[in-house]
Amino acid sequence: MNNLYCSLFIIALCVGLSNALAIKRKNSVHFINSLGGNNVLKIHCLSDEDDLGEHLLKPGEVYDFSFYDSIFGTRINCDLAQGIEFRFHAKFMAYKGGGLILHYGKKNFWFCRDDGIYFTHGKEEPKLEYKSIINPVS
């Protein structure tokens, strides 16, 4: 009888480990330059662990990156800038997750338009999240 319980325990442990080791989808953040004219969008993001560098997007271009949540929490802060000498900008948290509840496959889409920054998870129409990014740098 002990061998039966031991065997069942080992089988349950193997099944649990195989589920834990299954490939989990990464989360992703996407930036789309929807500005009018020939306005270039500059993006600079920092996570809790990495500086993701600066990226320049021409109108219609997309910049995205993917990652796994950390059990200690995952925050990605970004600065979007545009205009002459990139004087107009907005800083905001582009992603927040992790901690007790880890996300897999979560998608954050940010559309930079002339009247502001719009957000969606991709399942609904983007909604205005931040008014226009025309706050001059002092």
Side-chain angles (χ1 to χ4, degrees):
M1 192 65 152
N2 279 343
N3 286 342
L4 177 63
Y5 287 125
C6 186
S7 297
L8 289 175
F9 175 76
I10 290 173
I11 290 171
L13 186 61
C14 289
V15 168
L17 283 175
S18 69
N19 285 339
L21 296 176
I23 296 174
K24 304 291 185 192
R25 293 183 308 165
K26 289 183 174 184
N27 301 310
S28 58
V29 175
H30 308 261
F31 293 95
I32 299 95
N33 182 352
S34 298
L35 293 168
N38 288 323
N39 287 326
V40 174
L41 177 65
K42 180 168 75 170
I43 302 168
H44 184 209
C45 294
L46 298 165
S47 74
D48 298 324
E49 301 170 357
D50 295 311
D51 181 339
L52 302 175
E54 289 185 353
H55 302 272
L56 300 176
L57 299 183
K58 295 176 186 170
E61 289 186 331
V62 176
Y63 165 63
D64 56 31
F65 53 91
S66 58
F67 53 90
Y68 292 110
D69 272 352
S70 166
I71 59 170
F72 302 109
T74 303
R75 286 176 182 74
I76 298 174
N77 295 296
C78 296
D79 184 17
L80 304 185
Q82 59 108 354
I84 298 171
E85 297 180 4
F86 299 106
R87 291 188 54 216
F88 306 108
H89 73 102
K91 289 185 180 184
F92 61 96
M93 188 176 300
Y95 181 88
K96 181 179 179 182
L100 295 177
I101 300 173
L102 298 178
H103 299 283
Y104 297 101
K106 184 176 180 181
K107 296 179 181 181
N108 287 7
F109 293 91
W110 297 96
F111 295 84
C112 187
R113 299 179 182 168
D114 292 324
D115 64 335
I117 302 170
Y118 289 72
F119 174 77
T120 182
H121 286 294
K123 298 175 183 167
E124 65 281 334
E125 284 294 313
K127 292 194 173 39
L128 181 63
E129 197 74 22
Y130 301 101
K131 280 291 217 184
S132 64
I133 59 171
I134 49 175
N135 301 318
V137 177
S138 308

